[in-house]
PDB file of all heavy atoms in Angstrom:
ATOM      1  N   LYS A  17      92.563  50.403  27.965  1.00  0.00           N
ATOM      2  CA  LYS A  17      91.486  49.541  27.464  1.00  0.00           C
ATOM      3  C   LYS A  17      91.769  48.066  27.765  1.00  0.00           C
ATOM      4  O   LYS A  17      91.478  47.192  27.005  1.00  0.00           O
ATOM      5  CB  LYS A  17      91.266  49.729  25.929  1.00  0.00           C
ATOM      6  CG  LYS A  17      90.775  51.158  25.623  1.00  0.00           C
ATOM      7  CD  LYS A  17      90.463  51.272  24.136  1.00  0.00           C
ATOM      8  CE  LYS A  17      89.921  52.666  23.829  1.00  0.00           C
ATOM      9  NZ  LYS A  17      89.575  52.847  22.409  1.00  0.00           N
ATOM     10  N   GLU A  18      92.255  47.865  29.003  1.00  0.00           N
ATOM     11  CA  GLU A  18      92.506  46.507  29.452  1.00  0.00           C
ATOM     12  C   GLU A  18      91.738  46.308  30.766  1.00  0.00           C
ATOM     13  O   GLU A  18      91.090  47.184  31.242  1.00  0.00           O
ATOM     14  CB  GLU A  18      94.008  46.297  29.686  1.00  0.00           C
ATOM     15  CG  GLU A  18      94.877  46.456  28.408  1.00  0.00           C
ATOM     16  CD  GLU A  18      96.366  46.400  28.686  1.00  0.00           C
ATOM     17  OE1 GLU A  18      96.730  46.226  29.897  1.00  0.00           O
ATOM     18  OE2 GLU A  18      97.163  46.569  27.802  1.00  0.00           O
ATOM     19  N   GLY A  19      91.884  45.101  31.358  1.00  0.00           N
ATOM     20  CA  GLY A  19      91.224  44.808  32.647  1.00  0.00           C
ATOM     21  C   GLY A  19      89.767  44.976  32.559  1.00  0.00           C
ATOM     22  O   GLY A  19      89.103  44.359  31.763  1.00  0.00           O
ATOM     23  N   LEU A  20      89.201  45.871  33.450  1.00  0.00           N
ATOM     24  CA  LEU A  20      87.759  46.052  33.511  1.00  0.00           C
ATOM     25  C   LEU A  20      87.245  47.145  32.577  1.00  0.00           C
ATOM     26  O   LEU A  20      86.147  47.651  32.728  1.00  0.00           O
ATOM     27  CB  LEU A  20      87.373  46.418  34.987  1.00  0.00           C
ATOM     28  CG  LEU A  20      87.653  45.357  36.053  1.00  0.00           C
ATOM     29  CD1 LEU A  20      87.068  45.827  37.407  1.00  0.00           C
ATOM     30  CD2 LEU A  20      87.048  44.025  35.671  1.00  0.00           C
ATOM     31  N   ALA A  21      88.043  47.489  31.576  1.00  0.00           N
ATOM     32  CA  ALA A  21      87.669  48.589  30.702  1.00  0.00           C
ATOM     33  C   ALA A  21      86.297  48.377  30.008  1.00  0.00           C
ATOM     34  O   ALA A  21      85.540  49.315  29.832  1.00  0.00           O
ATOM     35  CB  ALA A  21      88.777  48.803  29.647  1.00  0.00           C
ATOM     36  N   GLU A  22      85.974  47.136  29.664  1.00  0.00           N
ATOM     37  CA  GLU A  22      84.752  46.846  28.955  1.00  0.00           C
ATOM     38  C   GLU A  22      83.606  46.452  29.840  1.00  0.00           C
ATOM     39  O   GLU A  22      82.523  46.045  29.366  1.00  0.00           O
ATOM     40  CB  GLU A  22      84.994  45.708  27.919  1.00  0.00           C
ATOM     41  CG  GLU A  22      86.072  46.038  26.907  1.00  0.00           C
ATOM     42  CD  GLU A  22      85.739  47.292  26.079  1.00  0.00           C
ATOM     43  OE1 GLU A  22      84.560  47.493  25.755  1.00  0.00           O
ATOM     44  OE2 GLU A  22      86.708  48.077  25.855  1.00  0.00           O
ATOM     45  N   THR A  23      83.775  46.616  31.176  1.00  0.00           N
ATOM     46  CA  THR A  23      82.674  46.278  32.139  1.00  0.00           C
ATOM     47  C   THR A  23      81.508  47.207  31.891  1.00  0.00           C
ATOM     48  O   THR A  23      81.655  48.438  31.854  1.00  0.00           O
ATOM     49  CB  THR A  23      83.168  46.379  33.578  1.00  0.00           C
ATOM     50  OG1 THR A  23      84.280  45.512  33.775  1.00  0.00           O
ATOM     51  CG2 THR A  23      82.088  46.032  34.545  1.00  0.00           C
ATOM     52  N   LEU A  24      80.272  46.635  31.742  1.00  0.00           N
ATOM     53  CA  LEU A  24      79.081  47.448  31.531  1.00  0.00           C
ATOM     54  C   LEU A  24      78.662  48.083  32.859  1.00  0.00           C
ATOM     55  O   LEU A  24      78.641  47.414  33.938  1.00  0.00           O
ATOM     56  CB  LEU A  24      77.978  46.561  30.972  1.00  0.00           C
ATOM     57  CG  LEU A  24      78.236  45.959  29.581  1.00  0.00           C
ATOM     58  CD1 LEU A  24      77.117  45.018  29.190  1.00  0.00           C
ATOM     59  CD2 LEU A  24      78.397  47.057  28.559  1.00  0.00           C
ATOM     60  N   LEU A  25      78.246  49.338  32.801  1.00  0.00           N
ATOM     61  CA  LEU A  25      77.799  50.028  34.000  1.00  0.00           C
ATOM     62  C   LEU A  25      76.302  49.824  34.208  1.00  0.00           C
ATOM     63  O   LEU A  25      75.542  49.663  33.283  1.00  0.00           O
ATOM     64  CB  LEU A  25      78.126  51.518  33.863  1.00  0.00           C
ATOM     65  CG  LEU A  25      79.601  51.894  33.819  1.00  0.00           C
ATOM     66  CD1 LEU A  25      79.754  53.391  33.548  1.00  0.00           C
ATOM     67  CD2 LEU A  25      80.327  51.505  35.082  1.00  0.00           C
ATOM     68  N   ARG A  26      75.896  49.902  35.497  1.00  0.00           N
ATOM     69  CA  ARG A  26      74.499  49.791  35.863  1.00  0.00           C
ATOM     70  C   ARG A  26      74.036  51.141  36.543  1.00  0.00           C
ATOM     71  O   ARG A  26      74.838  51.935  36.951  1.00  0.00           O
ATOM     72  CB  ARG A  26      74.258  48.638  36.876  1.00  0.00           C
ATOM     73  CG  ARG A  26      74.681  47.313  36.345  1.00  0.00           C
ATOM     74  CD  ARG A  26      74.512  46.243  37.474  1.00  0.00           C
ATOM     75  NE  ARG A  26      75.047  44.945  37.083  1.00  0.00           N
ATOM     76  CZ  ARG A  26      75.138  43.898  37.934  1.00  0.00           C
ATOM     77  NH1 ARG A  26      74.778  44.049  39.192  1.00  0.00           N
ATOM     78  NH2 ARG A  26      75.573  42.769  37.486  1.00  0.00           N
ATOM     79  N   THR A  27      72.694  51.257  36.610  1.00  0.00           N
ATOM     80  CA  THR A  27      72.135  52.408  37.326  1.00  0.00           C
ATOM     81  C   THR A  27      72.708  52.507  38.755  1.00  0.00           C
ATOM     82  O   THR A  27      72.764  51.464  39.458  1.00  0.00           O
ATOM     83  CB  THR A  27      70.625  52.327  37.389  1.00  0.00           C
ATOM     84  OG1 THR A  27      70.114  52.215  36.006  1.00  0.00           O
ATOM     85  CG2 THR A  27      70.018  53.593  38.038  1.00  0.00           C
ATOM     86  N   ASP A  28      73.042  53.702  39.190  1.00  0.00           N
ATOM     87  CA  ASP A  28      73.600  53.982  40.506  1.00  0.00           C
ATOM     88  C   ASP A  28      75.003  53.508  40.755  1.00  0.00           C
ATOM     89  O   ASP A  28      75.515  53.545  41.872  1.00  0.00           O
ATOM     90  CB  ASP A  28      72.662  53.427  41.631  1.00  0.00           C
ATOM     91  CG  ASP A  28      71.273  54.112  41.629  1.00  0.00           C
ATOM     92  OD1 ASP A  28      71.266  55.333  41.264  1.00  0.00           O
ATOM     93  OD2 ASP A  28      70.298  53.468  42.045  1.00  0.00           O
ATOM     94  N   ASP A  29      75.710  53.011  39.711  1.00  0.00           N
ATOM     95  CA  ASP A  29      77.114  52.682  39.888  1.00  0.00           C
ATOM     96  C   ASP A  29      77.895  53.965  40.194  1.00  0.00           C
ATOM     97  O   ASP A  29      77.547  55.056  39.722  1.00  0.00           O
ATOM     98  CB  ASP A  29      77.690  52.024  38.625  1.00  0.00           C
ATOM     99  CG  ASP A  29      77.421  50.566  38.536  1.00  0.00           C
ATOM    100  OD1 ASP A  29      76.875  50.045  39.554  1.00  0.00           O
ATOM    101  OD2 ASP A  29      77.789  49.947  37.530  1.00  0.00           O
ATOM    102  N   ALA A  30      78.905  53.867  41.016  1.00  0.00           N
ATOM    103  CA  ALA A  30      79.690  55.067  41.396  1.00  0.00           C
ATOM    104  C   ALA A  30      81.184  54.685  41.261  1.00  0.00           C
ATOM    105  O   ALA A  30      81.643  53.623  41.724  1.00  0.00           O
ATOM    106  CB  ALA A  30      79.398  55.505  42.832  1.00  0.00           C
ATOM    107  N   VAL A  31      81.912  55.572  40.591  1.00  0.00           N
ATOM    108  CA  VAL A  31      83.348  55.336  40.332  1.00  0.00           C
ATOM    109  C   VAL A  31      84.155  56.387  41.130  1.00  0.00           C
ATOM    110  O   VAL A  31      83.800  57.579  41.068  1.00  0.00           O
ATOM    111  CB  VAL A  31      83.711  55.415  38.853  1.00  0.00           C
ATOM    112  CG1 VAL A  31      85.207  55.233  38.635  1.00  0.00           C
ATOM    113  CG2 VAL A  31      82.910  54.311  38.064  1.00  0.00           C
ATOM    114  N   LYS A  32      85.146  55.974  41.871  1.00  0.00           N
ATOM    115  CA  LYS A  32      85.981  56.940  42.628  1.00  0.00           C
ATOM    116  C   LYS A  32      87.444  56.809  42.161  1.00  0.00           C
ATOM    117  O   LYS A  32      87.969  55.689  42.146  1.00  0.00           O
ATOM    118  CB  LYS A  32      85.901  56.658  44.112  1.00  0.00           C
ATOM    119  CG  LYS A  32      86.661  57.722  44.904  1.00  0.00           C
ATOM    120  CD  LYS A  32      86.333  57.674  46.393  1.00  0.00           C
ATOM    121  CE  LYS A  32      87.040  58.811  47.120  1.00  0.00           C
ATOM    122  NZ  LYS A  32      86.778  58.787  48.560  1.00  0.00           N
ATOM    123  N   ILE A  33      87.995  57.940  41.813  1.00  0.00           N
ATOM    124  CA  ILE A  33      89.404  58.007  41.372  1.00  0.00           C
ATOM    125  C   ILE A  33      90.223  58.705  42.449  1.00  0.00           C
ATOM    126  O   ILE A  33      89.815  59.788  42.955  1.00  0.00           O
ATOM    127  CB  ILE A  33      89.530  58.779  40.031  1.00  0.00           C
ATOM    128  CG1 ILE A  33      88.563  58.260  38.991  1.00  0.00           C
ATOM    129  CG2 ILE A  33      90.997  58.778  39.573  1.00  0.00           C
ATOM    130  CD1 ILE A  33      88.860  56.835  38.579  1.00  0.00           C
ATOM    131  N   TYR A  34      91.360  58.167  42.900  1.00  0.00           N
ATOM    132  CA  TYR A  34      92.174  58.749  43.962  1.00  0.00           C
ATOM    133  C   TYR A  34      93.405  59.477  43.388  1.00  0.00           C
ATOM    134  O   TYR A  34      93.969  59.094  42.377  1.00  0.00           O
ATOM    135  CB  TYR A  34      92.685  57.629  44.893  1.00  0.00           C
ATOM    136  CG  TYR A  34      91.581  56.935  45.627  1.00  0.00           C
ATOM    137  CD1 TYR A  34      91.044  55.723  45.217  1.00  0.00           C
ATOM    138  CD2 TYR A  34      91.063  57.515  46.838  1.00  0.00           C
ATOM    139  CE1 TYR A  34      90.047  55.088  45.855  1.00  0.00           C
ATOM    140  CE2 TYR A  34      90.043  56.842  47.513  1.00  0.00           C
ATOM    141  CZ  TYR A  34      89.541  55.659  47.062  1.00  0.00           C
ATOM    142  OH  TYR A  34      88.569  55.024  47.719  1.00  0.00           O
ATOM    143  N   SER A  35      93.780  60.569  44.087  1.00  0.00           N
ATOM    144  CA  SER A  35      95.019  61.274  43.717  1.00  0.00           C
ATOM    145  C   SER A  35      96.138  60.660  44.567  1.00  0.00           C
ATOM    146  O   SER A  35      95.913  59.983  45.564  1.00  0.00           O
ATOM    147  CB  SER A  35      94.904  62.755  43.989  1.00  0.00           C
ATOM    148  OG  SER A  35      94.854  62.962  45.396  1.00  0.00           O
ATOM    149  N   LEU A  36      97.388  60.932  44.139  1.00  0.00           N
ATOM    150  CA  LEU A  36      98.554  60.511  44.949  1.00  0.00           C
ATOM    151  C   LEU A  36      98.503  61.126  46.343  1.00  0.00           C
ATOM    152  O   LEU A  36      98.900  60.529  47.337  1.00  0.00           O
ATOM    153  CB  LEU A  36      99.846  60.923  44.231  1.00  0.00           C
ATOM    154  CG  LEU A  36     100.276  60.005  43.083  1.00  0.00           C
ATOM    155  CD1 LEU A  36     101.466  60.632  42.341  1.00  0.00           C
ATOM    156  CD2 LEU A  36     100.630  58.601  43.571  1.00  0.00           C
ATOM    157  N   ALA A  37      97.986  62.389  46.408  1.00  0.00           N
ATOM    158  CA  ALA A  37      97.909  63.061  47.692  1.00  0.00           C
ATOM    159  C   ALA A  37      97.000  62.324  48.658  1.00  0.00           C
ATOM    160  O   ALA A  37      97.239  62.264  49.836  1.00  0.00           O
ATOM    161  CB  ALA A  37      97.430  64.520  47.507  1.00  0.00           C
TER     162      ALA A  37
END
Side-chain angles (χ1 to χ4, degrees):
K17 296 185 178 181
E18 298 173 0
L20 298 185
E22 300 302 322
T23 301
L24 296 175
L25 295 176
R26 302 177 185 172
T27 304
D28 296 328
D29 277 355
V31 177
K32 185 168 184 179
I33 309 296
Y34 295 98
S35 69
L36 282 172

